[in-house]
Amino acid sequence: MAVPGASLVPILLLGLGTCLAASPSPKGVECILFNEEYMTCTWGSGQTLTANYSLYYWYENKLPVVECQQYLWDRSVRIGCRFEQSEIIQFQAFYVRVNASCNGQTLEIPSNRMELQNLVKPEAPVNLTIHNMSGNQLQLTWSSPYPKEQCLEHVVKYKSNKDTSWTNQEVKGVIFSFPSVDYEKYYTFYVRSKINNYCGNTQLWSEWSVPVFWGNNSTSKGSSGPERPRSPRRPRSVLTVSPRLVAGVAEEQLQWFWIHTVLIPIASCLLLLVLVVLLVRMERVWVIIMPRIPNPSKNFDDLFITHNGDFQVRWLPWLTTPLSWWQLPTPLTPLCPSRNGSESLKMLWRVSSPTTVKASAT
Amino acid sequence: MERMIIFCMLFFCFSMVLTATSPKAMKYKQLSKTIDHLKDVVKDKDVELLHTPENPGDGCLLTAVTCFQNGILKLQPKNSQVNATFAKTVKILRRPFLPVSEEHCESSCESYERKKPQEFLNSFSKLMQKLFKNSTAERYGKSTI
């Protein structure tokens, strides 16, 4: 018998007391979408729960109610459910109900109405890279495994080995400029991300990224955090990123950036220009686009003058069949007869004036 | 040879058209910001409740947007000092921004529950979030603010 409602829980506890341990009932269902790839909804841990749980979920206006396909276990107790990407719909009201049953009695734990776009937790940023810019400036860039960069906002946390507390800086893009860097200090940078207000209303920050270091670690005074302990004067190690190495990596990254945003557009524009010029200059191509319609009148000016308006023109034999557009005669292409034997069409031109030519077939 | 040149040119033109960035995402971002401004200046007490579409499906987007745009006309500024901001934001939000298309939506505007202006604007904001998210291209490293 399902009995929902918090008010009835104490009565039920007497009956389910043998099953349930110190913490009587799950606090509630907590769902998180990890990087929009999968979601887990959990209601407790194996230490506190001992009943038999089952989860049912549905979307508003999209029944039926479905049971969880993949449960999460802890010490042979179901403590959560895993949803795959195909089972997740955002911007739709999502409801979950967890049934706790023990000794034939069932307790229902309903959840609140949820909207899954507000429960997205992106993955931590990766590929943190430091570039040396001109004028003592540093530029930190990273990328995010989350597919839609425009939906993210980031926070950079940094500290030098001489500072006592971390500085947090909110950033909207994937580039953070650090204005004036002291070459004597040793800096540590972390980044984390969150879905911004344009894609959801969340407060779920990702985990902090793997740190990136910069600078000279000659004195370890004041250094804290996960850096290695006192290092020698020369800051060369597997984990630290020395300025020379950083400069090399930075230059390579910068080169790649210039290639992508400057060289490729310019090259493609130039290529287009070359093609256009070729097109216009090549007469063969020009004639194909703008074919010359044969105008017989001008060709016969001289003939008209010589013969005083009365002359005959023999029409060429292979022109008895209709011409295709690429067979039109041009000044550069000599006409070549393709076949012999077809009848010639003799055309008699009666020329009344140089500009009008009347023809009749004989 | 000449046909190759012509085809090359056509290919270039088409590829340039395809790589042009869609202005839709920017439009929804701008509208989201405008709705946030309007939330600060709108009167929420003793006002008429408005029909508020809640999570419309893909087949009901145009109906929902029209419903929101009509509801905005019934809003009022919270005091006379914010009249200018209020008028400006209302004007921006009333402009049509979805292409007119045939839509067969089962729910009409009147079928939605009536809510207070702040909840009405929150739902409008949520619709903009959905449209923005669906229109963003999944490109690496590019961010347009």
Side-chain angles (χ1 to χ4, degrees):
Chain A
M1 202 158 26
V3 194
S7 53
L8 292 168
V9 166
I11 298 168
L12 276 170
L13 288 180
L14 293 174
L16 298 172
T18 48
C19 281
L20 304 169
S23 173
S25 71
K27 289 173 198 167
V29 182
E30 191 191 332
C31 296
I32 300 179
L33 269 88
F34 290 97
N35 216 38
E36 283 188 17
E37 288 163 7
Y38 65 94
M39 174 166 77
T40 59
C41 287
T42 52
W43 50 83
S45 72
Q47 281 177 326
T48 52
L49 309 173
T50 50
N52 191 15
Y53 296 94
S54 51
L55 179 143
Y56 298 89
Y57 69 93
W58 67 98
Y59 290 93
E60 196 165 36
N61 307 330
K62 263 186 198 165
L63 299 168
V65 178
V66 182
E67 191 182 349
C68 173
Q69 306 287 312
Q70 201 181 346
Y71 282 102
L72 305 170
W73 298 79
D74 182 19
R75 286 167 245 247
S76 50
V77 171
R78 285 174 178 169
I79 53 149
C81 177
R82 182 183 161 114
F83 297 83
E84 295 304 325
Q85 211 171 33
S86 53
E87 297 166 300
I88 299 171
I89 303 174
Q90 296 185 32
F91 297 101
Q92 274 274 309
F94 178 71
Y95 298 92
V96 152
R97 189 179 68 225
V98 175
N99 288 352
S101 66
C102 199
N103 291 342
Q105 290 186 316
T106 314
L107 169 65
E108 251 186 39
I109 304 146
S111 75
N112 292 331
R113 176 183 184 276
M114 291 185 268
E115 293 202 8
L116 299 181
Q117 74 274 7
N118 297 337
L119 300 171
V120 178
K121 179 173 172 172
E123 237 176 80
V126 292
N127 292 343
L128 268 71
T129 325
I130 295 187
H131 309 267
N132 267 328
M133 309 294 279
S134 61
N136 274 10
Q137 240 190 2
L138 282 189
Q139 206 175 60
L140 173 68
T141 60
W142 59 90
S143 61
S144 178
Y146 184 77
K148 299 184 182 188
E149 163 52 36
Q150 292 195 50
C151 280
L152 292 177
E153 61 184 43
H154 312 270
V155 152
V156 176
K157 175 171 91 167
Y158 63 91
K159 188 165 90 79
S160 75
N161 56 347
K162 306 243 169 85
D163 294 332
T164 48
S165 63
W166 293 92
T167 311
N168 287 311
Q169 183 67 45
E170 286 174 6
V171 179
K172 284 210 156 79
V174 283
I175 300 177
F176 170 66
S177 287
F178 191 60
S180 58
V181 68
D182 190 341
Y183 285 89
E184 300 298 312
K185 292 184 183 170
Y186 185 70
Y187 294 92
T188 309
F189 295 90
Y190 288 90
V191 187
R192 68 176 180 179
S193 325
K194 180 174 89 81
I195 302 290
N196 63 25
N197 289 336
Y198 299 113
C199 293
N201 300 325
T202 74
Q203 297 306 317
L204 282 168
W205 285 96
S206 71
E207 299 302 322
W208 286 108
S209 64
V210 171
V212 69
F213 308 98
W214 193 92
N216 196 344
N217 199 12
S218 52
T219 58
S220 62
K221 197 192 291 184
S223 73
S224 63
E227 307 104 287
R228 297 144 51 258
R230 189 182 297 263
S231 58
R233 284 189 188 251
R234 292 228 195 111
R236 298 274 187 268
S237 72
V238 176
L239 286 178
T240 57
V241 184
S242 65
R244 212 174 278 179
L245 185 62
V246 162
V249 169
E251 265 173 35
E252 195 191 316
Q253 289 261 348
L254 214 59
Q255 263 175 7
W256 192 240
F257 168 75
W258 278 111
I259 288 170
H260 258 252
T261 54
V262 178
L263 275 183
I264 287 181
I266 288 181
S268 51
C269 281
L270 280 175
L271 199 55
L272 190 66
L273 203 65
V274 161
L275 285 177
V276 168
V277 166
L278 262 179
L279 198 70
V280 171
R281 293 302 300 265
M282 274 181 77
E283 194 171 348
R284 284 173 66 108
V285 182
W286 188 247
V287 160
I288 286 161
I289 294 176
M290 316 270 278
R292 287 190 201 169
I293 300 162
N295 184 2
S297 63
K298 296 208 176 111
N299 291 347
F300 299 107
D301 280 352
D302 295 336
L303 274 176
F304 176 78
I305 291 164
T306 315
H307 300 283
N308 226 15
D310 186 12
F311 59 90
Q312 278 188 349
V313 173
R314 182 187 289 274
W315 203 247
L316 301 163
W318 52 87
L319 291 179
T320 53
T321 56
L323 266 184
S324 303
W325 62 272
W326 59 83
Q327 287 172 315
L328 286 170
T330 71
L332 301 178
T333 57
L335 285 171
C336 306
S338 55
R339 274 189 288 271
N340 271 334
S342 34
E343 279 183 19
S344 66
L345 188 70
K346 220 169 161 183
M347 296 200 79
L348 196 67
W349 293 84
R350 292 257 177 253
V351 184
S352 50
S353 72
T355 49
T356 59
V357 176
K358 287 178 195 165
S360 57
T362 54
Chain B
M1 174 65 185
E2 48 283 355
R3 266 184 254 180
M4 200 178 73
I5 293 179
I6 292 172
F7 287 139
C8 274
M9 282 194 58
L10 284 173
F11 172 75
F12 257 111
C13 292
F14 283 125
S15 61
M16 281 205 293
V17 163
L18 287 172
T19 53
T21 52
S22 155
K24 270 188 200 168
M26 285 306 296
K27 181 173 64 177
Y28 297 132
K29 213 168 185 176
Q30 203 56 45
L31 288 167
S32 254
K33 284 189 202 168
T34 313
I35 295 172
D36 287 339
H37 290 145
L38 186 55
K39 279 189 209 169
D40 294 332
V41 299
V42 76
K43 186 174 172 190
D44 204 38
K45 292 180 186 168
D46 303 324
V47 283
E48 187 188 346
L49 298 181
L50 306 163
H51 291 290
T52 304
E54 195 66 37
N55 290 330
D58 287 336
C60 285
L61 287 178
L62 191 58
T63 314
V65 165
T66 316
C67 193
F68 278 121
Q69 287 180 320
N70 291 338
I72 279 181
L73 283 177
K74 298 180 189 161
L75 293 173
Q76 294 166 41
K78 66 180 177 192
N79 55 47
S80 54
Q81 288 163 340
V82 298
N83 268 344
T85 313
F86 179 82
K88 199 166 76 170
T89 51
V90 164
K91 190 172 162 196
I92 293 172
L93 292 171
R94 288 268 307 154
R95 277 186 218 145
F97 56 85
L98 278 188
V100 176
S101 62
E102 283 276 318
E103 201 178 67
H104 299 290
C105 184
E106 287 170 359
S107 346
S108 69
C109 190
E110 288 72 28
S111 66
Y112 293 109
E113 206 183 314
R114 299 180 84 121
K115 294 188 186 165
K116 285 174 142 192
Q118 284 293 336
E119 290 174 48
F120 172 82
L121 291 174
N122 283 339
S123 285
F124 198 4
S125 224
K126 211 164 40 170
L127 181 58
M128 286 304 116
Q129 283 176 352
K130 176 178 175 156
L131 292 169
F132 177 71
K133 204 165 183 178
N134 289 342
S135 71
T136 50
E138 295 186 13
R139 274 184 182 170
Y140 61 92
K142 292 213 175 189
S143 99
T144 56
I145 305 296

